[in-house]
Amino acid sequence: MFSAGLFAACGGGGGNSDTASGDTASSGTALTVNATDFKFDPTTLTAKAGEAVTFTIKNDGKVTHNLTIEDLKVDQDVKDGKTASQTVTPKAGSFEYHCNYHPASMKGTLTVS
Ligand SMILES: [Cu+2]
């Protein structure tokens, strides 16, 4: 007699395509402020209320400068030839910014809406 008693169970694997979509752009807004020649460039900045804003302050000058936004508790020194950054999440409003060392000539306005 000849008997084959082996059954191979074959499990069929279904094609599972998982398309995960999710664009979480939580990086916020990046603003660059040049602090050179005793003035800011630009002197007006805009940002969105409730969103993170990262200020990158570039100092290509020969002395230390600073970015101060009193109402947002920003007070960031930037040595000559250096770059520094600060991140804040502002509410809506108009915020004056200036350099602590040269407030007469280095100033501008940040508008958040
Ligand atoms: Cu300055």
Side-chain angles (χ1 to χ4, degrees):
M1 286 286 284
F2 179 77
S3 80
L6 278 181
F7 282 84
C10 202
N16 246 5
S17 59
D18 248 12
T19 33
S21 66
D23 256 24
T24 37
S26 57
S27 50
T29 306
L31 297 173
T32 299
V33 185
N34 294 292
T36 310
D37 295 335
F38 301 98
K39 60 180 171 23
F40 282 127
D41 176 29
T43 54
T44 56
L45 297 169
T46 55
K48 283 186 181 171
E51 283 192 11
V53 186
T54 299
F55 298 98
T56 299
I57 310 120
K58 286 184 178 176
N59 182 358
D60 291 326
K62 293 187 170 59
V63 300
T64 298
H65 291 300
N66 164 283
L67 178 70
T68 292
I69 311 174
E70 282 174 11
D71 292 338
L72 300 180
K73 302 209 170 4
V74 172
D75 183 352
Q76 178 67 56
D77 276 11
V78 195
K79 288 198 159 64
D80 51 301
K82 300 288 186 187
T83 298
S85 61
Q86 275 275 319
T87 302
V88 295
T89 304
K91 294 178 190 163
S94 185
F95 303 94
E96 180 263 357
Y97 60 89
H98 63 268
C99 166
N100 260 347
Y101 306 109
H102 319 99
S105 58
M106 300 183 70
K107 55 190 173 186
T109 305
L110 167 70
T111 303
V112 181
S113 54

